[in-house]
Amino acid sequence: MIEIKVPPLGESIVEATISRWLKNPGDTVQQGEPLVELETDKVTVEVPAFKAGVLKSQSKSEGDVVKVDEVLGQLDESAAGADAPAPAAEARPAAEARPAAEARPATEAARPAAAQASGEPPEVAQESVGQPEAAQEPRSAPAARRAAAEEGVSLSEVEGTARGGVVTKQDVMAHASRGAGAAEARASGEAVGQKAAPPSAGGPPPAGQSTAQQPSRPQPSPAPAIGTPQGNGARETREKMSTRRRRIAEHLLEAQHATAHLTTFNEVDMASVMALRERLKERVEKEHAVKLTYMPFFAKAATMALGAYPVVNAQIDGDSIVYRHYVNMGIAVASDQGLVVPVIKDADRIGMIEFTRRLTDVAKRARDGKLTMDDLTGGTFTITNGGVFGSLVSTPILNYPQVGILGLHKIQERPVAIDGTVEIRPMMYLALTYDHRIVDGQQAVLFLVRLKELLEDPGSMLVD
């Protein structure tokens, strides 16, 4: 018997949250196959099987917080060989004992959850799957199976979007919202399905009916009482913070308490950058297969401004100031799991096209939850762009222990005075939050002024 333990998670990371189990007790697993997915404050980690065998038990459940080296479950390696021929050996007795059951469609045989709901013992429900049809039942997370049972959805009809085609709870709910009336009718019987429709619907919704036409999904019981709360209309709900969210909160508080932070502002006329991007974007996309956004212009200007004022790229180490002669640029990216800051290493030594290519890659992996620890460490300066969400002005919090963070905002046409006349120009507010312990106000303001000069005359970035 092999204990499945939480592996080392990376520098300074001591705990994680079980995101989902990819295997269930009794499942046969191959060496290297992922068993469970852990979510840390930075990355998502899969714990693989070090040997082939059968998953015997799960010591922890989805949502539990676990620490490094804590036992997650047990794997029986001795059962690997014995279980391999089991499907072929058990197929004949099963077929002889239940000829009528085998004649049913695979979707009818692959419904243990419905069997349990109708009162069958768990052993009968498990047997009804049958070894030959087991291959058609997709891998699924426990939360997905619970949701499928509640919604009356057959997992064989749900397309899994997680790694390896694993069906998640979100997949089940999405399938149900697209019109799971037919699946519910098959799971509980056509007659029961007619009675189990939402009271306000007056009968079962037709297949393909939109969720707007279905005020509430059918409850697990055949005929739920009218007005039963079942969580509907609750005035408040409580949800435990994930490991990542708790760590983000701790990190922000640490930055607030450990630094003497101050924010200074300036505004930049974006007309020149917008015109240059408009002129080059088609050619760049055609020749380099990348989309030219505004971020490379800001990153290039920021690296040049940091070269002129290196204290904004420095770090306090005890009673010393460490000056970096390189720029590892962190770019804040919003994902479903929370804010992450992947780092583009040596951003000052690469061109705008290569920067765009690297940023596109890490942003995609951030949203897919596939970032590595190396992607998230080593940053010296950060840029965060609230403008993509419509923010007009804000005061970003330092990404401690960095001493500077640049906030970008929405480009908005405003009347400005130019050479004694009023013109409508595309303007953006820039915000620099800095650690006043080592960055003086003069240096912070001059940094923003230099950034403004470079962006309003982007051609100067080529000759500077």
Side-chain angles (χ1 to χ4, degrees):
M1 201 75 69
I2 300 174
E3 289 185 334
I4 306 164
K5 295 185 177 182
V6 179
L9 301 171
E11 182 183 0
S12 75
I13 301 178
V14 297
E15 66 179 21
T17 301
I18 297 179
S19 175
R20 61 176 181 260
W21 279 95
L22 305 178
K23 292 291 182 179
N24 308 311
D27 285 355
T28 301
V29 297
Q30 302 300 319
Q31 183 176 358
E33 195 171 4
L35 300 173
V36 59
E37 196 173 80
L38 305 178
E39 179 187 281
T40 74
D41 60 305
K42 296 182 180 295
V43 295
T44 300
V45 178
E46 288 183 343
V47 180
F50 292 106
K51 291 188 177 181
V54 173
L55 182 62
K56 281 299 183 183
S57 65
Q58 297 174 350
S59 304
K60 302 293 182 180
S61 304
E62 293 181 0
D64 287 353
V65 177
V66 293
K67 297 185 181 300
V68 174
D69 212 34
E70 194 168 348
V71 176
L72 298 170
Q74 290 185 323
L75 181 72
D76 186 0
E77 58 178 325
S78 63
D83 285 4
E90 295 181 10
R92 282 192 300 275
E96 293 169 4
R98 298 185 306 280
E102 292 298 318
R104 296 183 195 138
T107 54
E108 285 292 326
R111 212 171 284 120
Q116 291 182 15
S118 63
E120 279 190 77
E123 294 79 10
V124 177
Q126 183 65 30
E127 274 191 297
S128 67
V129 178
Q131 292 294 344
E133 285 82 2
Q136 300 183 28
E137 181 78 7
R139 291 188 297 158
S140 59
R145 292 192 294 278
R146 289 194 296 270
E150 293 173 359
E151 298 293 338
V153 174
S154 172
L155 288 174
S156 61
E157 301 173 353
V158 181
E159 181 180 357
T161 60
R163 294 184 184 89
V166 175
V167 177
T168 66
K169 179 180 178 181
Q170 289 77 8
D171 297 331
V172 174
M173 302 307 291
H175 179 82
S177 68
R178 287 194 297 266
E184 190 276 335
R186 287 196 299 272
S188 58
E190 292 292 340
V192 176
Q194 296 285 343
K195 299 177 182 179
S200 60
Q209 186 178 17
S210 68
T211 55
Q213 295 171 293
Q214 301 180 38
S216 61
R217 296 190 182 98
Q219 300 298 327
S221 56
I226 297 177
T228 302
Q230 295 292 85
N232 296 334
R235 291 174 63 84
E236 61 182 38
T237 57
R238 183 182 296 270
E239 180 180 290
K240 189 175 182 180
M241 292 176 69
S242 66
T243 299
R244 179 171 298 176
R245 176 52 58 186
R246 285 192 290 108
R247 183 55 185 149
I248 289 173
E250 293 168 1
H251 191 67
L252 292 175
L253 284 175
E254 183 182 21
Q256 290 278 53
H257 296 155
T259 64
H261 50 276
L262 185 64
T263 304
T264 186
F265 300 90
N266 210 323
E267 61 179 356
V268 57
D269 185 343
M270 291 292 293
S272 296
V273 169
M274 292 174 69
L276 181 59
R277 174 180 174 271
E278 187 65 26
R279 183 163 57 88
L280 296 177
K281 66 178 184 179
E282 289 187 8
R283 192 175 78 185
V284 168
E285 186 169 358
K286 181 179 179 180
E287 295 180 359
H288 301 280
V290 294
K291 291 185 177 180
L292 184 61
T293 65
Y294 292 114
M295 184 58 74
F297 292 94
F298 286 100
K300 179 66 174 178
T303 58
M304 296 179 68
L306 290 171
Y309 302 96
V311 69
V312 185
N313 193 48
Q315 179 181 329
I316 295 179
D317 183 14
D319 58 356
S320 302
I321 299 176
V322 180
Y323 292 93
R324 281 75 163 260
H325 305 296
Y326 59 90
V327 178
N328 288 346
M329 186 69 72
I331 306 293
V333 175
S335 68
D336 292 340
Q337 294 76 32
L339 187 71
V340 291
V341 187
V343 178
I344 309 297
K345 304 293 176 62
D346 294 319
D348 56 324
R349 302 179 187 181
I350 59 176
M352 292 174 59
I353 300 301
E354 179 61 23
F355 181 91
T356 302
R357 188 175 287 111
R358 293 190 192 180
L359 178 59
T360 301
D361 175 60
V362 295
K364 182 180 185 303
R365 287 191 284 119
R367 296 186 181 97
D368 293 343
K370 297 180 180 179
L371 291 174
T372 65
M373 287 301 299
D374 185 62
D375 293 325
L376 297 165
T377 55
T380 63
F381 186 81
T382 295
I383 298 178
T384 178
N385 185 8
V388 295
F389 305 111
S391 172
L392 183 61
V393 65
S394 66
T395 56
I397 299 177
L398 288 171
N399 188 12
Y400 185 78
Q402 298 173 20
V403 299
I405 180 171
L406 177 66
L408 309 181
H409 300 93
K410 178 182 178 181
I411 300 174
Q412 187 177 60
E413 289 191 338
R414 295 199 299 271
V416 294
I418 298 178
D419 297 328
T421 62
V422 176
E423 297 184 18
I424 304 299
R425 311 289 287 185
M427 306 298 293
M428 175 193 283
Y429 288 115
L430 303 176
L432 176 70
T433 297
Y434 57 98
D435 191 341
H436 211 347
R437 293 180 299 167
I438 65 171
V439 182
D440 294 332
Q442 177 191 24
Q443 295 164 318
V445 171
L446 291 176
F447 171 88
L448 276 185
V449 169
R450 181 60 181 148
L451 194 67
K452 173 184 171 71
E453 292 172 350
L454 291 168
L455 292 169
E456 292 185 346
D457 184 13
S460 62
M461 289 192 278
L462 303 177
V463 297
D464 209 325

